[in-house]
Amino acid sequence: MLETLRRIVQEVNDAPNLRAALEVIVQRVKVAVKADVCSVYLTDFDKGRHVLRASDGLRPEAVDRVHLALHKGLIGLVCDRAEPINLQDATSHPNYRFIPETGEQPYNGFLGVPIIQHRRVLGVLVAQQREQRRFAEDEATFLLTLASQLAGAITHANASGELAAMQAAKRRQKRFMTGRPSASGVGIGTAVVAFRPAELRLVPDRPVDDPGQEVARFHAALDKASAEIGGLKQQMAISLSEEDAALFDAWAMLLRSDSLLNRVEELIQQGCWAPGALRRTIDEHCKVFESMEDAYMRERGSDIRDLGRRILSHLQHSQSLPPENYPASTILVGEEVSATQLAEVPVGQLKGIVCATGSSASHVAILARALGIPAIMGVADLQVGRLEGHELIVDGYLGRVHLQPPPSVLEEYAKLISEMHSQSAVLEQMRGCHSQTRDGERVHVYLNTGLVSETSSLGLEESEGVGLYRTELPFMVRDRFPSEEVQRNNYRRVLKHFHPRPVTLRTLDIGGDKPLPYFPINESNPFLGWRGIRISLDHPEIFLTQVRAMLRASVGLDNLRILLPMISHISEVIDAKRLIQQALDEVLQEGRKVRRPKLGVMIEVPSAVFQAEALACLVDFISLGTNDLTQYLLAVDRNNPNVGDLFSDLHPAVLKAIHQVMRDAGPQVEDISVCGEMAGNPLSAILLVGMGYRHLSMSAGGLLKIKYALSHIDLPLAQHMAASALCCEEPETVKILMERLLMEHDMLHLVAPTGAVGGS
């Protein structure tokens, strides 16, 4: 039955439309489970009924005409329970309804399984038998598996308008798909599918007779890929700031990293041909990055895989593909859109990006934000192959992709685009202004970043320093720990970049979920394992080298702040302070004039929340990592599509934890900052200020928005909103409360278009 299942799933995926997919399902299932009838009922929520949409065994003329009211019959019971119902004698069940129009005889055996997508029952897949029969357990699971495949096709058909056409109803439909908004804005254009001409996973293992020649072939391909990246940088330099364009330098660094070069050459010397050695090396590197908890670092795996494909395309001696004929208004769509594919679209023609995978931490999302192009990542059930040439609207505020929108929707979004241009001009007026509330309460805004090359001019000019600088990347692109001098040069660059403003360098945050290629760690539960400060303390030689590099980098600048990650015990801070003092003594003994930097801890696990007061007595400042704190408090991985909807930093438990930290630790330290996404979201930033926070650290894109939002709010009002939010019981209630506030102050456009269309 497994092979049958595989064939049916493939046929459903290859079906040109929903109608064909339904026909495949009912015909194949009827044969597979030896039933007399197989049917699909789809739920029409607007009209409150279940409609027969396909059947093999019932009268053909009944399809699209026969319907049951919601909650009625065995179909309604399956929907209400959202679980399979398997009956040997269906006619004796109190919910049984005989429908003469179908031509069905009194069928006894009945198996109905729900078709579910994101908790919503979209319909029911039914198998029926004349004789009394209870379907076997493996037959029930067989139907359940097919129902899950069908759910994706139904969702796509609903979004594209196909389902509306099937229903032949002239009523307003929900014609959009949803994903994670990763770059705000609205774009209208024609879909162009980004595909991969060279696929690493298809490369076989083959032996090689002349390793030296194969190494030379690899380096020739590498040179061509490097030149290609350089050309893309030159093309993008017109529309990107110098700092943003330097992203391409980061990719060039990845291409030439010791760990990649040495590993490929090592495998070739062992007798593997270059494409196979490249595939194995890229896979090894990607597994390291993709297993990480930190979204920013995890997305670096996509960059490495994209670079690997570019090298492979040159290794294969493939002819260059003809230039893509990009429409004047292009929406780039793909299973996995890379930043280099984005760069290939002519400047000014790219209006939006839609991706089935990825997150806001991917380089394509980073570039999209820098270019002001709306982007939506993680769009579930995106039927990429069917979208080429279709007109799309990308709503980067609400995370919606509208497919083949009707004229009325197009007109509304055209108005929104015009409105946003006016709003951008208003935000630009905040450049150079202090961040403060309307009644003059100062709120300091800082920048979160991971590479100096990713620091845009906006982040450099508008932030009051760096609230969180990730130090992991230089460790990850090498085949050994970077030397103290290499680290010093990296840290010196960012400290000078922002001098005299403060720069907070977070010590190495690696571990079970972020292993280094040369420092492997295998754990059954890496999220709760050996990581962050735990590794630093267990390997003082690594920690001391990094701290010495930080201290030496700060000589003559004195704007360094050191931040310790993943603190869960008081003893960890005490031990870390001892090692930092040791490093300081060593640097001073070398005759370097360096001041003791301010020391802080990250509160990102629940235990630290309840020990915030004790921690505050040991350090100069505290930083709340609200992304991880929310994840640990709610036991939700926000990058897991099955539970991502449960992740909310407006959850009352999260708000109460944040409030408790300020209450307990605020009087003990110089400052407490928030460096998660909450800081850059106007909805939550106002609440943070109301709770007493005066230091917010965010990505560059949030700086002007937060300045604008705070300038329209008095401190007493922010305090009142915080008190009200702390009394709420559901995150949605808090969201509505804050959206109402923004609406009353004509600021809802900061989080979504004021005239958002498309329904809910």
Side-chain angles (χ1 to χ4, degrees):
M1 187 163 281
L2 185 61
E3 180 60 25
T4 302
L5 178 63
R6 187 193 64 78
R7 288 199 305 269
I8 296 175
V9 169
Q10 187 61 51
E11 284 188 70
V12 170
N13 290 337
D14 292 342
N17 51 50
L18 178 62
R19 177 70 75 186
L22 295 178
E23 293 297 333
V24 166
I25 288 282
V26 296
Q27 292 169 12
R28 301 292 184 269
V29 169
K30 178 183 174 183
V31 173
V33 301
K34 298 180 175 61
D36 293 321
V37 175
C38 181
S39 308
V40 175
Y41 290 82
L42 297 187
T43 306
D44 185 339
F45 293 98
D46 291 338
K47 288 199 170 182
R49 62 189 188 180
H50 309 290
V51 184
L52 178 65
R53 291 300 181 193
S55 180
D56 188 347
L58 300 181
R59 288 177 180 170
E61 59 268 25
V63 173
D64 293 332
R65 295 182 180 178
V66 167
H67 56 84
L68 283 164
L70 291 182
H71 317 299
K72 300 298 183 182
L74 292 174
I75 303 300
L77 187 62
V78 174
C79 283
D80 291 343
R81 291 185 178 179
E83 64 179 354
I85 292 180
N86 192 353
L87 300 173
Q88 181 174 329
D89 183 10
T91 58
S92 63
H93 194 281
N95 284 65
Y96 177 78
R97 296 288 185 276
F98 175 65
I99 307 174
E101 293 86 353
T102 62
E104 65 178 347
Q105 303 301 316
Y107 288 98
N108 291 287
F110 175 93
L111 172 60
V113 301
I115 303 168
I116 299 176
Q117 184 80 335
H118 300 309
R119 302 189 184 184
R120 202 177 198 196
V121 180
L122 305 178
V124 179
L125 175 60
V126 181
Q128 293 174 279
Q129 193 79 21
R130 287 190 180 88
E131 295 81 18
Q132 289 191 2
R133 171 191 179 185
R134 184 175 180 84
F135 287 85
E137 185 176 337
D138 63 335
E139 292 170 331
T141 56
F142 178 77
L143 262 68
L144 270 173
T145 305
L146 290 176
S148 67
Q149 292 292 318
L150 197 53
I154 295 169
T155 300
H156 177 76
N158 191 27
S160 66
E162 181 188 346
L163 190 55
M166 286 177 60
Q167 294 169 342
K170 296 185 178 295
R171 63 183 184 274
R172 192 165 177 267
Q173 279 286 321
K174 175 183 176 182
R175 298 181 62 168
F176 57 80
M177 304 183 76
T178 58
R180 291 185 292 275
S182 300
S184 60
V186 171
I188 301 174
T190 304
V192 174
V193 175
F195 64 95
R196 302 187 288 263
E199 188 53 76
L200 282 163
R201 65 183 177 84
L202 301 180
V203 173
D205 285 325
R206 288 179 183 170
V208 65
D209 296 327
D210 188 348
Q213 182 179 350
E214 203 69 1
V215 168
R217 194 162 76 92
F218 166 66
H219 278 279
L222 193 65
D223 291 340
K224 291 178 181 178
S226 296
E228 200 170 49
I229 295 298
L232 291 175
K233 176 184 177 181
Q234 188 174 2
Q235 177 179 317
M236 294 297 290
I238 302 171
S239 52
L240 286 175
S241 68
E242 183 179 347
E243 293 85 359
D244 285 317
L247 275 174
F248 294 89
D249 296 331
W251 295 325
M253 180 178 70
L254 287 172
L255 272 177
R256 297 292 181 179
S257 66
D258 294 340
S259 58
L260 188 149
L261 294 176
N262 293 347
R263 180 57 175 158
V264 171
E265 292 182 7
E266 177 188 348
L267 290 170
I268 292 175
Q269 294 298 339
Q270 292 175 4
C272 184
W273 72 321
L278 177 66
R279 187 207 73 223
R280 289 172 61 182
T281 301
I282 294 297
D283 282 347
E284 290 170 4
H285 280 63
C286 286
K287 285 177 182 177
V288 171
F289 281 94
E290 290 168 355
S291 64
M292 298 177 184
E293 179 185 356
D294 184 277
Y296 176 88
M297 300 306 297
R298 182 166 53 242
E299 287 296 340
R300 302 293 71 79
S302 299
D303 298 333
I304 291 174
R305 201 174 294 281
D306 178 56
L307 294 172
R309 294 188 193 106
R310 289 186 175 273
I311 301 171
L312 177 63
S313 67
H314 295 294
L315 271 174
Q316 293 173 334
H317 301 290
S318 59
Q319 297 294 321
S320 297
L321 292 172
E324 182 74 53
N325 184 22
Y326 293 101
S329 296
T330 294
I331 305 294
L332 202 59
V333 179
E335 289 289 337
E336 181 184 18
V337 176
S338 72
T340 51
Q341 287 173 321
L342 176 157
E344 290 169 351
V345 182
V347 174
Q349 293 181 218
L350 185 60
K351 304 302 179 184
I353 300 165
V354 179
C355 190
T357 60
S359 74
S360 59
S362 66
H363 265 148
V364 71
I366 291 170
L367 273 182
R369 291 193 290 271
L371 293 167
I373 296 168
I376 302 174
M377 318 300 284
V379 181
D381 305 307
L382 187 67
Q383 305 282 324
V384 173
R386 301 178 185 175
L387 294 179
E388 180 80 21
H390 284 264
E391 188 170 31
L392 304 180
I393 296 175
V394 180
D395 186 337
Y397 292 97
L398 302 179
R400 293 175 177 176
V401 185
H402 295 258
L403 291 79
Q404 296 295 104
S408 59
V409 175
L410 276 171
E411 184 179 348
E412 285 298 315
Y413 270 103
K415 290 178 182 177
L416 286 177
I417 291 174
S418 176
E419 180 183 323
M420 284 189 304
H421 287 320
S422 300
Q423 292 163 355
S424 295
V426 172
L427 284 181
E428 284 296 312
Q429 296 174 9
M430 299 304 299
R431 279 185 178 264
C433 296
H434 284 306
S435 176
Q436 60 186 26
T437 61
R438 187 166 55 186
D439 51 348
E441 183 72 18
R442 283 283 278 125
V443 179
H444 304 277
V445 291
Y446 301 91
L447 185 69
N448 291 342
T449 186
L451 281 175
V452 177
S453 62
E454 289 179 5
T455 304
S456 66
S457 58
L458 176 64
L460 178 60
E461 295 165 5
E462 296 302 315
S463 70
E464 298 178 53
V466 176
L468 174 64
Y469 188 87
R470 308 174 188 90
T471 62
E472 289 77 41
L473 194 58
F475 285 78
M476 315 214 51
V477 296
R478 291 176 168 79
D479 60 358
R480 67 197 65 144
F481 283 104
S483 67
E484 183 177 320
E485 187 62 21
V486 167
Q487 293 186 58
R488 188 202 74 86
N489 291 335
N490 285 329
Y491 305 147
R492 182 76 178 180
R493 195 175 301 119
V494 67
L495 290 170
K496 286 184 67 175
H497 208 57
F498 283 89
H499 185 264
R501 291 166 289 176
V503 173
T504 303
L505 300 182
R506 183 178 67 186
T507 60
L508 194 58
D509 189 14
I510 61 167
D513 66 316
K514 277 187 283 187
L516 302 176
Y518 47 87
F519 193 69
I521 302 168
N522 296 311
E523 295 182 309
S524 59
N525 194 343
F527 297 102
L528 303 178
W530 196 43
R531 50 168 299 190
I533 195 65
R534 299 167 184 174
I535 288 182
S536 294
L537 295 178
D538 286 349
H539 282 272
E541 74 282 9
I542 299 173
F543 186 67
L544 285 167
T545 299
Q546 183 177 35
V547 173
R548 280 175 50 87
M550 291 178 177
L551 294 172
R552 289 176 55 211
S554 70
V555 172
L557 298 175
D558 301 323
N559 59 338
L560 167 67
R561 287 159 48 113
I562 295 178
L563 182 62
L564 305 175
M566 196 65 183
I567 295 296
S568 58
H569 290 74
I570 298 295
S571 60
E572 293 169 339
V573 181
I574 296 172
D575 292 343
K577 289 181 69 174
R578 177 180 52 79
L579 290 173
I580 292 171
Q581 182 61 51
Q582 178 181 333
L584 179 61
D585 292 341
E586 292 170 359
V587 173
L588 289 172
Q589 288 169 10
E590 294 171 358
R592 305 180 192 276
K593 296 181 179 179
V594 58
R595 294 181 182 176
R596 181 192 306 275
K598 292 182 178 178
L599 178 67
V601 295
M602 288 199 78
I603 291 187
E604 49 191 333
V605 299
S607 64
V609 171
F610 296 106
Q611 289 192 295
E613 184 176 4
L615 289 169
C617 294
L618 296 171
V619 295
D620 302 298
F621 67 96
I622 282 176
S623 182
L624 266 80
T626 55
N627 295 350
D628 276 341
L629 182 59
T630 300
Q631 182 166 258
Y632 284 120
L633 280 171
L634 302 183
V636 170
D637 176 4
R638 61 178 178 159
N639 294 299
N640 181 336
N642 295 319
V643 295
D645 290 343
L646 299 176
F647 183 96
S648 174
D649 49 25
L650 295 178
H651 192 289
V654 177
L655 297 179
K656 289 175 181 177
I658 293 170
H659 180 250
Q660 179 173 329
V661 171
M662 174 55 71
R663 183 193 65 201
D664 294 348
Q668 314 295 331
V669 290
E670 294 180 16
D671 64 78
I672 304 182
S673 65
V674 174
C675 63
E677 289 182 8
M678 286 185 75
N681 182 349
L683 292 177
S684 46
I686 292 172
L687 293 176
L688 293 171
V689 171
M691 292 181 193
Y693 289 89
R694 299 293 181 267
H695 299 263
L696 306 177
S697 188
M698 65 204 69
S699 62
L703 292 168
L704 294 183
K705 287 184 179 181
I706 297 305
K707 285 186 176 185
Y708 184 88
L710 296 180
S711 70
H712 287 70
I713 297 292
D714 293 323
L715 181 59
L717 178 57
Q719 292 169 334
H720 170 73
M721 298 307 297
S724 299
L726 289 168
C727 293
C728 294
E729 296 181 348
E730 291 290 338
E732 188 62 27
T733 309
V734 179
K735 185 171 182 285
I736 292 171
L737 179 74
M738 297 308 298
E739 286 180 343
R740 187 177 298 127
L741 173 72
L742 294 189
M743 185 181 298
E744 290 171 355
H745 288 76
D746 195 24
M747 295 193 298
L748 193 56
H749 61 271
L750 296 177
V751 293
T754 55
V757 295
S760 58

